[in-house]
Amino acid sequence: MEQPKEPHSVSLKGADFYTDLLNHQFPLPLPPKSSASYINPGTALDHKPGENDDEFIFDPVLTLPPSFGSAYVGETFSCTLCANNELLADADRLVSSVKIEAEMQAPSGTNPLQLMQADDDSPNPQVKPGESLQKIVQFDLREEGSHTLAVNLSYSETTISKDQAASSGRVRTFRKLYQFVARSCLSVRTKVSSAPSADSEDRQKYIIEVQLENMADGTITLKTVTFNTKPTFKSTSLNWDAVQSDMQHTSSPVMAPRDVIQIAFLVDQRTDGPDKEVTKDGRIILGQLSIQWRTEMGDSGFLSTGWLTTKRR
């Protein structure tokens, strides 16, 4: 695969889930303002110049280096791909049919990515000198281990003769790889116990005890923790979001790194519900635990466990 010569380049910016490695960097060089290829560096900022918050500890430009550390399972990988045409305005070459493709190589296999438009562009745009083509990548992280974002860029390069006629053209392609590791954000441990019931033995109750531990490097806020039961059962929260006549909702728990929190649910069998669902080895299927949280930077995360079961009486 032929490598393109300068001044063509590709840069990536905007990893919004991992902020420890943010640094101030402009994707394009800064020629004199009198130059035809001058681009305002403010276009690389995530907000308008002059709106910076002096108390905000991070730089206003988010960049994605070739190796940027860890992401967390349950969160969404998100970044912007920028293909910049750095030719001078009077160059004897023309760039057209620019196309960006990306795929995520996860431990379970390769996943083609559907890129979203970051600006108004045509399917095969002609990126003029000093302009850029931007695409947004989003990928839900669902497994631990090494991930690789593979980016392919292709474009047509046409040489213009002195009489402004296209004399020759060729297609150029190149590929860049960006690696990171997806780690577990929350450690979940569960325990199912039978609860005493004043009703007949046919109507059973269970207590679901859950221990959550923050395995991330930063603080997270738990938004919702629910237990989604099979139709045979119904679930009642015994946590901060419990609804009682003499109890008001408390604020969502905030967990610092390595903090542990205990939560519980009461699972009651419905009197008019369908029959219990049983696994091949004779265990009763109760339901699934669903957890939603937000990081200290506002990114959302979601985790769902497998089916929780218990032995038949």
Side-chain angles (χ1 to χ4, degrees):
M1 183 177 297
E2 185 177 5
Q3 293 292 333
K5 299 179 181 179
E6 291 295 338
H8 308 294
S9 70
V10 168
S11 61
L12 283 76
K13 62 179 181 179
D16 58 17
F17 62 83
Y18 196 80
T19 56
D20 289 351
L21 296 178
L22 299 186
N23 57 82
H24 198 276
Q25 175 181 332
F26 295 119
L28 298 177
L30 298 179
K33 289 188 177 181
S34 58
S35 173
S37 61
Y38 174 78
I39 295 179
N40 187 345
T43 59
L45 301 177
D46 60 343
H47 48 71
K48 296 180 180 179
E51 296 182 356
N52 295 358
D53 186 352
D54 294 336
E55 298 181 356
F56 189 64
I57 62 175
F58 300 113
D59 291 314
V61 176
L62 312 182
T63 63
L64 180 62
S67 179
F68 51 86
S70 298
Y72 296 104
V73 174
E75 299 181 6
T76 300
F77 172 93
S78 180
C79 71
T80 300
L81 308 179
C82 299
N84 305 311
N85 182 357
E86 298 177 2
L87 286 171
L88 299 178
D90 56 352
D92 59 353
R93 285 174 290 171
L94 178 67
V95 173
S96 61
S97 300
V98 182
K99 185 177 182 181
I100 302 177
E101 296 178 321
E103 61 184 20
M104 186 67 73
Q105 299 172 2
S108 61
T110 300
N111 303 275
L113 301 179
Q114 184 70 32
L115 303 183
M116 297 182 294
Q117 294 184 174
D119 49 15
D120 296 330
D121 53 69
S122 58
N124 294 308
Q126 175 180 330
V127 181
K128 299 179 180 179
E131 295 183 350
S132 67
L133 172 65
Q134 300 186 11
K135 297 289 185 177
I136 297 176
V137 169
Q138 288 187 336
F139 180 76
D140 294 332
L141 300 173
R142 290 292 177 257
E143 55 185 326
E144 297 183 47
S146 178
H147 289 64
T148 301
L149 173 64
V151 181
N152 296 313
L153 187 139
S154 62
Y155 60 91
S156 297
E157 181 185 47
T158 304
T159 302
I160 306 298
S161 61
K162 294 182 179 181
D163 56 356
Q164 298 298 314
S167 58
S168 63
R170 55 179 173 176
V171 176
R172 290 183 178 272
T173 61
F174 64 97
R175 179 181 178 91
K176 284 193 173 184
L177 303 178
Y178 299 86
Q179 295 182 336
F180 64 94
V181 176
R183 297 165 45 198
S184 175
C185 181
L186 280 176
S187 173
V188 183
R189 301 177 180 88
T190 59
K191 178 183 177 182
V192 181
S193 305
S194 297
S197 176
D199 299 331
S200 63
E201 295 183 357
D202 293 337
R203 185 182 179 188
Q204 300 175 356
K205 293 185 177 181
Y206 302 93
I207 296 293
I208 309 296
E209 299 176 76
V210 183
Q211 182 187 79
L212 301 178
E213 181 179 0
N214 180 11
M215 306 298 294
D217 297 329
T219 301
I220 64 173
T221 301
L222 293 179
K223 303 302 294 182
T224 60
V225 180
T226 58
F227 189 74
N228 305 315
T229 62
K230 287 289 188 178
T232 312
F233 303 95
K234 61 180 179 179
S235 173
T236 302
S237 174
L238 305 178
N239 309 301
W240 69 91
D241 55 349
V243 178
Q244 297 182 12
S245 58
D246 58 345
M247 179 185 298
Q248 296 182 351
H249 287 189
T250 60
S251 57
S252 300
V254 177
M255 302 179 64
R258 300 302 180 269
D259 275 358
V260 176
I261 187 174
Q262 306 282 349
I263 60 178
F265 297 89
L266 174 63
V267 177
D268 193 4
Q269 183 178 349
R270 298 179 184 272
T271 55
D272 55 348
D275 294 336
K276 303 173 185 176
E277 295 187 34
V278 182
T279 62
K280 294 181 179 180
D281 58 353
R283 298 180 66 87
I284 300 174
I285 302 177
L286 300 179
Q288 287 181 309
L289 186 70
S290 297
I291 308 167
Q292 293 184 353
W293 69 87
R294 284 195 178 274
T295 68
E296 55 190 357
M297 294 298 292
D299 299 322
S300 60
F302 174 79
L303 179 65
S304 180
T305 66
W307 293 107
L308 299 185
T309 63
T310 185
K311 295 181 179 179
R312 301 181 67 178
R313 291 183 178 178

